[in-house]
């Protein structure tokens, strides 16, 4: 079971990294192209701004997924820092499960949102169904949920916390 989880994690890691790089490159090219068109030619594509907003959504969700792969996402684990080291491991697992539950709930509700968008027939980019672009939200939260469940079962080695003030 552990080997299958690691194989799936490796595959997902490669897909995530590739998607992030491609999305960021496309966003930079589109944004710079739009600026050049507006400033030099007094024109631009009507759909560029809407597409850039969609790409920001995708980049954000995939970035959150990448951050969760090594538990580098935003954490609410103040209590873990103040308990004895013997209790930190089990308490971290509880935090991972709680995070998975929250992401699972968010996945479910964002799925409901996307389903309603599909029922109402909302469109983006001049006629494409909006749910095509919004489906990244429930999928992303479901994958983060899965990842935190995996972290609860196979937690990463405990990281050294720095006490330096920023």
């Amino acid at each position: 079971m552990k080997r299958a989880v690691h194989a799936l994690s490796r595959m997902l890691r490669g897909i995530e990294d590739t998607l992030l790089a491609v999305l960021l490159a496309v966003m930079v090219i589109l944004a710079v192209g739009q600026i050049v068109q507006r400033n030099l030619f007094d024109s631009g594509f009507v759909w560029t701004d809407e597409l850039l907003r969609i790409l920001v959504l995708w980049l954000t969700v995939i970035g959150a997924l990448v951050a969760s792969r090594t538990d580098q996402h935003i954490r609410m684990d103040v209590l873990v820092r103040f308990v004895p080291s013997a209790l930190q491991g089990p308490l971290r697992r509880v935090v991972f499960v709680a995070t998975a539950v929250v992401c699972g709930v968010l996945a479910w509700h964002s799925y409901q949102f996307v389903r309603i968008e599909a029922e109402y027939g909302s469109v983006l980019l001049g006629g494409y169904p909006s749910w095509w672009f919004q489906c990244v939200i429930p999928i992303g939260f479901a994958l983060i949920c899965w990842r935190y469940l995996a972290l609860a079962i196979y937690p990463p080695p405990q990281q050294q916390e720095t006490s330096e003030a920023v």
Side-chain angles (χ1 to χ4, degrees):
M1 177 70 172
K2 187 175 180 179
R3 184 175 289 169
V5 168
H6 286 295
L8 187 57
S9 291
R10 259 193 321 275
M11 182 182 71
L12 187 58
R13 183 177 297 126
I15 293 169
E16 292 165 355
D17 291 344
T18 302
L19 275 173
L20 278 178
V22 169
L23 286 171
L24 189 58
V26 168
M27 285 177 64
V28 168
I29 291 167
L30 283 173
V32 169
Q34 187 77 334
I35 291 167
V36 168
Q37 285 180 322
R38 285 183 180 167
N39 290 332
L40 297 180
F41 305 111
D42 291 326
S43 70
F45 296 114
V46 176
W47 49 265
T48 303
D49 292 331
E50 189 173 23
L51 180 58
L52 283 169
R53 284 191 298 269
I54 293 167
L55 292 176
V56 166
L57 171 68
W58 278 67
L59 191 72
T60 302
V61 172
I62 295 170
L65 187 58
V66 167
S68 71
R69 80 166 64 141
T70 55
D71 187 33
Q72 297 300 313
H73 208 285
I74 296 171
R75 291 185 268 171
M76 303 292 185
D77 63 349
V78 145
L79 186 61
V80 173
R81 297 172 189 241
F82 297 110
V83 299
S85 59
L87 294 176
Q88 286 181 356
L91 191 55
R92 284 176 68 214
R93 288 177 188 244
V94 169
V95 170
F96 292 150
V97 170
T99 303
V101 167
V102 169
C103 288
V105 169
L106 288 169
W108 172 253
H109 287 288
S110 59
Y111 164 74
Q112 295 300 323
F113 166 75
V114 171
R115 186 183 55 76
I116 290 168
E117 285 288 308
E119 286 176 11
Y120 282 119
S122 301
V123 294
L124 293 171
L125 295 175
Y128 294 99
S130 63
W131 69 269
W132 288 1
F133 305 105
Q134 297 163 343
C135 69
V136 71
I137 303 168
I139 292 169
F141 277 120
L143 289 172
I144 293 171
C145 174
W146 171 81
R147 185 163 274 160
Y148 273 100
L149 285 175
L151 285 171
I153 297 168
Y154 308 110
Q158 198 157 353
Q159 302 157 344
Q160 293 293 329
E161 300 292 336
T162 59
S163 60
E164 298 176 12
V166 178

